Amino acid sequence: LTVQAVEAASTASAIRQRPGPWTLVWRALPLQAAFNPVTLQGAGFARALLPELVKAHGTAAGRRAAELAEGFNANPYLATFALGATAAAEGREPPVRIDRFLRLVRGPLGSLGDGLFWGAARPALLIPTALAVCAGLAWWLALAALVPWNVLAFGVRLTGARAGLEHGLEVAGELGRSWIRTAPARLRRLGSLGIGLGAGLALSVALRREAVGSSVAAGAPPGASAWMVLAVFALAIPLFALWPRRWGWGFALLGAWAVLAALTA
Amino acid sequence: MGFPEPAQWIAFAALAAFVALDSGPWLLSMAARPLPAATLLGLLWGDPAGGALVGAALELVYAGILPVGASRYPDAGLAGLVGAGVSLWAAPLAGAPTLPLALLLGLLAGHAGRGIETWRRSLNAVWVAGARAAAAAGDPAAIGRVNARAMAFAALLGAGSAVALLGLALFVAAPLVDAAPALAAPAPPLALFAALGCGAALRLWAGWAPRLWLAAGLVAGLAAGQLVPGLLR
């Protein structure tokens, strides 16, 4: 009975020493402050856990912080899964086991988070908004788009911190069952619909401008200019979709614009 | 042709510092993307719609670049700030937004920002190596200090480089706006912008399902634009 009581008290004490999930989310914000090509996010990861390292390792906290700062990289929003798990495990699990967990988990956290945030949510949110702004809808949409993004970002960070603190080094299983896995496919469909809507609205404005003769194709014969708008749209899609370097799109756009202006001058 | 007022420069530098932090070192609220960053500059300089238009064009241009892993890419936020700065400054002088010129100078600034970011990361590597050595020797707070220093440096570098690049861009743009008022295009090429958005979707998202949704959205958007009176100006 005495041993059980001591174990229970020890567990309760360890739980009390853990940071709250919002505290971890706050500490995770500057995760990439000292991002570099050698240790990547390592320094930010170690900094976020410094109070736990001092509690768990005392005078050896510096050495452990240097070990954790050696290298870490994951999607910055999903990194709270690893932060929470490490915060829960430091002092309770051997460092070798924690380091092995961090090596194994960084790949899934990176690919899952990059797919959700950079590959799905960002284009699904920003491309339709940009097209709507180009089409002449309200400018404040550009700032309103930040709201759903940050709801998603802080929601994922908080989910990760809670799951990590609760499940410790077993958090990978929780990640596999999370809604985060299925969200990208839904966002891609929603984003495709939004981009189509935005492009349709932009084309509508272009067609209307042609009708009143205010565009670069104003010199075209009556009726021909609407077809020209649609032809430019249809021809430019493969140009941009197949353009070899994505960051060359800007110069491709300016070149196509110049050709269009020259043809219709 | 005069340059922006000192108060405008100060507001620009403060926004650039925030954008530099938000683009990676802190928060990641997406305010560092060209669309919100340029709109915020437009708000500060008195023409949010003008800023939003330049930001939207640059957003479409950069839509296909994914910041995966430790990859390096143009600084889209810096491009948005410099592009919007050029456009907002030149619009009253040219009589209309000088969108092509603003896009070109914004894109060049974005490419310059890539080199600046690479250099900043290399410097971080040196600082972090020193901090790790100090921590291993018994000073764990060194890890906290190196993060704080790197963040402050990122903000200062972001503000300084944005101010320098906008100054250079305005210096280049001034004679062009004076000599070639045709740069003030009467209307942006919306068909090209729409194609850019659709091209990004096709490139990013393979499979039949997203393409069907894209086609459905396109038809619905065209129908709404043509049939709903007053939806679009």
Side-chain angles (χ1 to χ4, degrees), chain B residues 6 30 35 42 78 95 100 188:
Chain B
M30 214 177 51
L35 179 59
L78 184 61

Side-chain angles (χ1 to χ4, degrees), chain A residues 77 119 122 136-137 208 243, chain B residues 28 65 203 205 225 232-233:
Chain A
Y77 300 102
R122 195 177 76 185
L137 266 68
R208 202 171 292 181
W243 194 257
Chain B
L28 293 162
I65 301 174
R203 186 140 193 169
W205 301 328
L232 302 169
R233 286 189 296 278

Side-chain angles (χ1 to χ4, degrees), chain A residues 30 32 35-36 43 62 66 77 118-119 122 126 136-137 142 150 157 188-189 192 196-197 204 208-209 241 243 246 257, chain B residues 24-25 27-29 39 59 61 64-66 121 124 132 135 147 189-190 200 203 205 210 213 217-218 222 225 232-233:
Chain A
Q32 302 193 125
F35 190 90
N36 65 82
Y77 300 102
W118 311 137
R122 195 177 76 185
L126 280 186
L137 266 68
N150 283 290
R157 281 170 171 144
R188 282 195 290 270
R189 286 195 287 273
S192 296
L197 273 170
S204 288
R208 202 171 292 181
R209 282 181 183 159
W243 194 257
R246 290 176 198 181
W257 192 347
Chain B
L27 194 59
L28 293 162
S29 74
T39 309
E59 189 63 58
V61 164
I65 301 174
L66 304 181
R121 289 181 180 186
N124 277 346
R132 284 187 61 224
N147 276 277
L190 290 173
R203 186 140 193 169
W205 301 328
W213 284 101
L218 190 60
L222 263 172
L232 302 169
R233 286 189 296 278

Side-chain angles (χ1 to χ4, degrees), chain B residues 201-223:
Chain B
L202 291 174
R203 186 140 193 169
L204 288 169
W205 301 328
W208 59 270
R211 286 170 190 187
L212 277 181
W213 284 101
L214 181 71
L218 190 60
V219 172
L222 263 172

Side-chain angles (χ1 to χ4, degrees), chain B residues 6-201:
Chain B
Q8 288 179 304
W9 279 112
I10 291 169
F12 178 81
L15 178 62
F18 172 68
V19 164
L21 285 178
D22 194 70
S23 66
W26 181 72
L27 194 59
L28 293 162
S29 74
M30 214 177 51
R33 292 296 300 172
L35 179 59
T39 309
L40 285 171
L41 183 63
L43 263 178
L44 290 173
W45 282 18
D47 182 9
L53 182 61
V54 180
L58 283 166
E59 189 63 58
L60 292 171
V61 164
Y62 287 124
I65 301 174
L66 304 181
V68 174
S71 58
R72 290 177 300 160
Y73 34 83
D75 190 332
L78 184 61
L81 287 177
V82 171
V86 169
S87 181
L88 293 168
W89 166 76
L93 304 162
T98 52
L99 194 55
L101 184 63
L103 282 182
L104 179 63
L105 293 173
L107 288 167
L108 293 174
H111 278 269
R114 183 184 183 190
I116 294 168
E117 175 64 11
T118 304
W119 175 72
R120 189 182 72 83
R121 289 181 180 186
S122 305
L123 196 60
N124 277 346
V126 176
W127 287 349
V128 168
R132 284 187 61 224
D139 178 17
I143 297 288
R145 285 197 302 273
V146 78
N147 276 277
R149 179 164 55 162
M151 214 154 77
F153 183 70
L156 284 174
L157 183 67
S161 56
V163 166
L165 285 169
L166 180 61
L168 188 62
L170 295 184
F171 182 73
V172 171
L176 291 173
V177 173
D178 278 340
L183 284 169
L190 290 173
L192 285 178
F193 288 171
L196 200 51
C198 292

